[in-house]
Amino acid sequence: MEVFSRLIPKPKTDLPVSCVRATLEKNSVREARPENVDGEFYVDHTCIDCDTCRWIAPEFYGRVGSQSAMTAQPQSQEDRILSFQALLSCPTHSIHSHGDKGDLKAAVQRYPEPVKSAEGVYYCGYNSEKSYGGSAWLIVRKEGNVMIDSPRFDPKLVKRIKDLGGVQYIFLTHRDDVADHALWAKEFGAQRVIHASECNSQQGTDKCEIKLEGKGPWEFPGNAEDLKIIHTPGHTFGHCVLLHKPSKALFSGDHLAFSREPPGQLRIFKDYNWYSVPEQIESVRKLLHYDFLHVLPGHGRPRSIKDAAHRLQLIHDLLEHEGAL
């Protein structure tokens, strides 16, 4: 302690040295990682390796070691906007820019961002640390908009979603990725939908308005013909996915997603399974009976599928990879 005391300047405070040291250590993790290339944007040491920035702007963000870093710096205005979109969506606020913030406003205006070729479907951005960086999605529909899982509650995003018609329902795939669900529900007077077995008082999901019972599948509240809820136990007991039929988008939560390596393969994440891997594999087999061309997960990379034959092949390959064929 005495040696450490001599290494730091006398603080302009009455706090003990231990508090000053804690402050310095906290500040140091916000410094740029040395793995960043020099330039305007950088990633600090608090990165949780959630991969969000890397799939939003893969030209500039890469995995170096066990964290993200700037592997290239944006040059054009469009590149800077994209880099700011990654900054906004970082759940731990680990991305920084020490340049002109003029393009940040343009990045804010892009969220929620339309998903290409999936009409009416949007990526919310603003991933939340409470959901370990999980992504949230929005379906804009005349029968009432549906938010899938929960982004970070932010006034800028609230305003943008209001411009799109607000939120009537919040569909929570499972207990892990609920984040600020209560704030969103209160803001829009939305009804939350979740499997009853996923509810608990700690996260406030016991207050959800609509609790699913049994094994489904279920029609969405209001007997909506465009949405189907499918029970996919495995990651957790009550995990469910949502299929939006018009856009052929499957909101897969933590059930399955596309892999980083090898790229372009559907995978389940066995290292993050809280209930049963065998049941999760059987839940994947169940999806052979549904028509979807977009997989939009909570964790993992979103991606589109070429056609039905490609989808069947991807599911077949996953089952074969898991020794389930």
Side-chain angles (χ1 to χ4, degrees):
M1 179 68 75
E2 291 179 0
V3 173
F4 183 82
S5 301
R6 292 196 299 269
L7 293 177
I8 61 175
K10 185 177 180 180
K12 296 179 181 179
T13 175
D14 293 329
L15 292 173
V17 170
S18 59
C19 292
V20 177
R21 176 169 59 182
T23 300
L24 290 174
E25 291 174 348
K26 182 178 180 180
N27 290 339
S28 69
V29 299
R30 288 298 183 183
E31 294 176 355
R33 297 187 66 213
E35 294 83 354
N36 292 288
V37 299
D38 290 338
E40 173 185 354
F41 289 85
Y42 68 90
V43 181
D44 69 30
H45 295 268
T46 63
C47 169
I48 59 173
D49 195 28
C50 73
D51 193 45
T52 300
C53 63
R54 304 196 294 263
W55 67 257
I56 290 176
E59 297 87 352
F60 313 110
Y61 298 89
R63 192 171 194 257
V64 185
S66 60
Q67 294 178 307
S68 294
M70 299 301 299
T71 53
Q73 290 289 337
Q75 301 300 318
S76 69
Q77 182 182 34
E78 177 60 29
D79 290 347
R80 294 184 75 257
I81 293 172
L82 194 60
S83 297
F84 272 121
Q85 285 187 255
L87 181 153
L88 289 171
S89 294
C90 176
T92 49
H93 306 285
S94 302
I95 302 173
H96 310 268
S97 169
H98 51 67
D100 181 16
K101 301 299 191 294
D103 292 321
L104 177 59
K105 183 176 180 180
V108 168
Q109 293 300 310
R110 289 194 179 179
Y111 285 136
E113 183 173 39
V115 175
K116 290 181 180 178
S117 70
E119 186 174 357
V121 176
Y122 296 76
Y123 165 55
C124 290
Y126 294 86
N127 293 27
S128 173
E129 187 175 12
K130 296 175 185 176
S131 293
Y132 316 102
S135 298
W137 309 88
L138 183 73
I139 305 172
V140 174
R141 53 201 282 274
K142 63 181 180 180
E143 298 86 355
N145 296 349
V146 180
M147 177 180 282
I148 298 91
D149 290 330
S150 172
R152 185 169 73 246
F153 190 84
D154 188 283
K156 297 183 291 296
L157 184 59
V158 169
K159 182 180 184 303
R160 294 287 297 149
I161 290 179
K162 283 183 177 179
D163 293 341
L164 289 171
V167 179
Q168 184 176 9
Y169 294 100
I170 300 173
F171 177 77
L172 300 171
T173 57
H174 66 299
R175 68 186 67 188
D176 293 345
D177 298 342
V178 300
D180 292 331
H181 70 99
L183 293 175
W184 287 104
K186 181 179 180 180
E187 178 70 30
F188 288 104
Q191 292 186 293
R192 291 159 290 178
V193 184
I194 190 172
H195 196 280
S197 65
E198 300 296 292
C199 296
N200 60 70
S201 58
Q202 183 178 5
Q203 296 171 305
T205 44
D206 59 330
K207 301 294 194 298
C208 286
E209 292 75 16
I210 301 172
K211 300 181 179 70
L212 304 170
E213 301 278 358
K215 298 183 179 180
W218 304 267
E219 297 296 334
F220 204 76
N223 295 318
E225 296 182 357
D226 60 326
L227 295 167
K228 176 74 75 174
I229 303 172
I230 306 159
H231 186 217
T232 50
H235 175 72
T236 60
F237 175 78
H239 191 290
C240 294
V241 301
L242 181 67
L243 175 64
H244 182 230
K245 298 177 186 178
S247 68
K248 298 189 177 183
L250 182 76
F251 301 93
S252 60
D254 286 353
H255 179 46
L256 81 169
F258 282 95
S259 60
R260 302 180 195 173
E261 294 294 337
Q265 297 296 312
L266 279 177
R267 290 290 183 264
I268 63 173
F269 304 114
K270 292 187 287 187
D271 291 342
Y272 301 96
N273 180 283
W274 317 132
Y275 173 56
S276 168
V277 170
E279 287 209 33
Q280 189 167 356
I281 293 170
E282 286 307 304
S283 294
V284 171
R285 194 189 307 276
K286 186 187 300 185
L287 296 178
L288 286 166
H289 305 292
Y290 294 93
D291 184 16
F292 57 91
L293 295 179
H294 310 278
V295 176
L296 306 178
H299 292 95
R301 298 193 172 195
R303 188 161 174 168
S304 297
I305 298 167
K306 290 186 295 186
D307 51 34
H310 186 208
R311 178 184 69 245
L312 294 174
Q313 184 63 54
L314 287 168
I315 296 176
H316 178 277
D317 291 347
L318 188 159
L319 295 173
E320 186 174 50
H321 177 78
E322 298 300 336
L325 289 179

